[in-house]
Amino acid sequence: MKNVFNVAQGLKTMMRTSRIPGFYNLSVAERLSRIVEYAGLTEEEARLLSKEGNLSLDIADKMVENVIGTMAYPFSVALNFLIDGKEYIVPMVIEETSVVAAASNAAKMTRAKGGIFTDATDPIMIGQVQLTEVTSPFTARMKILEHRDEILKLANEQDPVLVKFGGGARDVEVKVVDSPAGPMVITHLLVDVRDAMGANAVNTMCEAVAPLIERLTGGKVCLRIVSNLADKRLVRARATVAKEEVGGEEGVDAIVKAWAFAASDPYRAATHNKGILNGCIAVALATGQDHRAIEAGAHAYAARTGRYMPLSVWEKDENGDLAGTLEMPMAVGLVGGATKTHPVAKVAVKILGVKTATELARVMGAVGLAQNLAALRALALEGIQAGHMRLHARNIAIQAGATGDLIDRVAEQMVRERKIRFDRAQELVKEFTEKVA
Ligand code: MEV
């Protein structure tokens, strides 16, 4: 480390510029020394960046470009998850306090009614091929559809391994869209990506079929890329929470009302969904997923009707209990990407004990629902609990001999002090009465 620092000091005379040609070709230590110089980092600060934790600089350098160090985040586990009858301890990586405790508490609340139940579609990702410069787009659409089998065959030739494992291109959908740059013919390639997140496989297939689409239509293909609106790769989760867990029917009603707020106001829905993603993304980080893809998919799905909506629904069931459901895209993988390269992600997957990407997606949906429950409970019931406390304090004040205005004064003081006790009420009654006298 001393060397890095010395080199950096030696470079101090260099001009401060963000243009550093060949930066990516330097070693991690050399890059760091350039940044030490650029930002005037102390030796201690440089050491902090280059300190190797559970991700070696060597691996980090192979994962992304221009690496100068690594950064650690807390790795926690949420407990109490019973999902589809199976116990899960859920690894979560997050910087925000209370999220892990909230997930654990909410998961516990679901257990009395069997835990959280989930379901998922097949892991179908969508790849898009953008065709432009077509004079008769609707005829082009038909021609593409007529050659569906040929397109699928060509796509599947790109990934024999995926096909061997039961995946592959399954279908072709074509739409004509009106764009500011004129009409476009958009082909969707629907690909079962099995245990992969799938972006690479889908992109490769889209690139492979593009020339065929051009030949069939005489148009010009521009983009060939996966869509993060993974609405054919959905996860569903549902849970029932006994009313006693949320302060009785009054609590159930308050939570339903909190959800209804999100269902009618996108400003609230964004925060509501952020709470869901607190859970999903923490698991995504722990298991090395492309969490931006999950976030993009979640928000786009939330807005699919043209209006941004909550990803979950909370309602009261026939017993007066609280019933929650959630549906959202969940593009996650167990093969490829950081899940395979980050040593800690591998450990996280082992702790979680999931065997397929679909199982991981189902757990993440369950965690999202639990996280949402915890947030709504805290937000909606705090008011009620405070109200209950005040009522309780008034009763104690009356028991301690308070009458008239004194009841509220004694009660409020006890709530402020968080000492709602008979002996304290007696003291306060005495104190306030003496003051008046
Ligand atoms: C904070 O990270 C998440 C919440 O704001 C979610 C919500 O409001 O539902 C508590």
Side-chain angles (χ1 to χ4, degrees):
M1 195 61 253
K2 210 161 193 82
N3 274 348
V4 172
F5 194 71
N6 291 343
V7 175
Q9 295 303 313
L11 292 169
K12 255 197 171 136
T13 47
M14 272 178 56
M15 216 173 64
R16 192 178 154 97
T17 171
S18 67
R19 281 281 310 133
I20 313 177
F23 187 76
Y24 68 96
N25 273 330
L26 302 178
S27 70
V28 175
E30 284 165 342
R31 280 186 217 126
L32 178 57
S33 72
R34 297 295 179 96
I35 299 306
V36 163
E37 163 63 19
Y38 172 85
L41 300 184
T42 64
E43 193 167 354
E44 182 54 31
E45 287 164 341
R47 195 178 301 119
L48 203 58
L49 274 173
S50 60
K51 190 172 166 188
E52 285 190 308
N54 49 36
L55 178 64
S56 73
L57 289 172
D58 218 31
I59 296 180
D61 196 32
K62 289 189 179 74
M63 287 172 78
V64 299
E65 310 73 38
N66 291 357
V67 168
I68 61 167
T70 58
M71 178 177 176
Y73 266 67
F75 184 109
S76 307
V77 287
L79 307 180
N80 307 324
F81 276 89
L82 180 62
I83 304 170
D84 301 317
K86 182 175 164 187
E87 297 287 346
Y88 289 92
I89 285 186
V90 181
M92 298 176 90
V93 168
I94 190 158
E95 90 299 344
E96 184 176 332
T97 183
S98 298
V99 169
V100 179
S104 301
N105 284 339
K108 193 155 90 195
M109 281 190 259
T110 66
R111 291 180 75 96
K113 300 274 179 189
I116 303 174
F117 300 90
T118 69
D119 180 31
T121 63
D122 281 341
I124 306 280
M125 293 296 283
I126 299 167
Q128 296 193 291
V129 181
Q130 176 202 20
L131 184 74
T132 62
E133 297 175 28
V134 261
T135 36
S136 46
F138 289 93
T139 305
R141 174 177 180 270
M142 289 296 174
K143 285 183 180 167
I144 297 168
L145 286 171
E146 280 163 21
H147 290 80
R148 173 186 175 274
D149 291 346
E150 201 180 330
I151 292 169
L152 292 179
K153 183 167 172 290
L154 184 57
N156 282 328
E157 279 166 12
Q158 311 309 310
D159 204 333
V161 178
L162 180 61
V163 174
K164 191 177 132 213
F165 282 101
R170 293 266 183 270
D171 208 354
V172 174
E173 290 175 351
V174 190
K175 61 187 174 184
V176 177
V177 299
D178 223 356
S179 85
M184 290 172 187
V185 182
I186 309 299
T187 301
H188 281 187
L189 201 54
L190 273 44
V191 185
D192 183 329
V193 295
R194 294 286 94 197
D195 282 326
M197 184 275 177
N200 286 337
V202 168
N203 292 343
T204 305
M205 288 182 180
C206 288
E207 282 174 18
V209 303
L212 172 58
I213 290 176
E214 283 186 337
R215 264 200 317 280
L216 291 171
T217 60
K220 183 174 169 4
V221 165
C222 295
L223 305 192
R224 297 144 298 170
I225 186 74
V226 72
S227 168
N228 288 124
L229 175 47
D231 64 356
K232 297 200 185 292
R233 195 180 193 178
L234 298 175
V235 66
R236 301 185 185 101
R238 71 175 170 84
T240 304
V241 181
K243 53 183 172 295
E244 295 73 29
E245 296 278 359
V246 291
E249 289 210 27
E250 204 186 340
V252 173
D253 291 340
I255 290 173
V256 171
K257 229 190 269 177
W259 163 79
F261 178 14
S264 20
D265 179 357
Y267 285 86
R268 172 57 206 154
T271 323
H272 179 105
N273 289 343
K274 192 270 185 183
I276 292 171
L277 287 165
N278 272 348
C280 302
I281 299 302
V283 183
L285 283 168
T287 57
Q289 304 302 318
D290 178 346
H291 49 95
R292 289 85 54 212
I294 297 167
E295 295 244 13
H299 294 302
Y301 193 69
R304 69 194 179 283
T305 58
R307 168 152 177 213
Y308 190 91
M309 294 289 285
L311 293 163
S312 64
V313 175
W314 291 95
E315 52 199 352
K316 185 151 81 167
D317 74 7
E318 64 283 5
N319 302 316
D321 292 326
L322 180 67
T325 55
L326 172 137
E327 184 179 81
M328 65 188 285
M330 196 60 80
V332 292
L334 285 181
V335 296
T339 313
K340 273 283 171 274
T341 50
H342 199 305
V344 178
K346 283 191 256 189
V347 178
V349 171
K350 190 168 178 184
I351 294 171
L352 200 48
V354 293
K355 297 287 177 268
T356 63
T358 299
E359 188 184 358
L360 173 61
R362 290 164 70 146
V363 169
M364 288 171 68
V367 175
L369 184 68
Q371 204 73 58
N372 186 217
L373 165 64
L376 294 187
R377 183 177 183 271
L379 291 168
L381 301 197
E382 209 155 87
I384 287 176
Q385 270 163 1
H388 282 168
M389 289 297 235
R390 225 164 281 126
L391 264 179
H392 179 54
R394 276 177 57 88
N395 287 338
I396 303 271
I398 293 167
Q399 282 168 32
T403 51
D405 288 354
L406 202 54
I407 300 171
D408 279 337
R409 288 182 62 204
V410 170
E412 272 159 30
Q413 183 63 24
M414 286 195 297
V415 169
R416 257 197 303 277
E417 292 175 1
R418 293 176 184 274
K419 280 187 199 157
I420 306 171
R421 292 195 319 253
F422 183 68
D423 60 338
R424 182 62 186 143
Q426 278 183 316
E427 276 170 24
L428 287 170
V429 168
K430 195 159 170 259
E431 193 181 311
F432 290 155
T433 320
E434 275 171 7
K435 260 188 204 160
V436 174

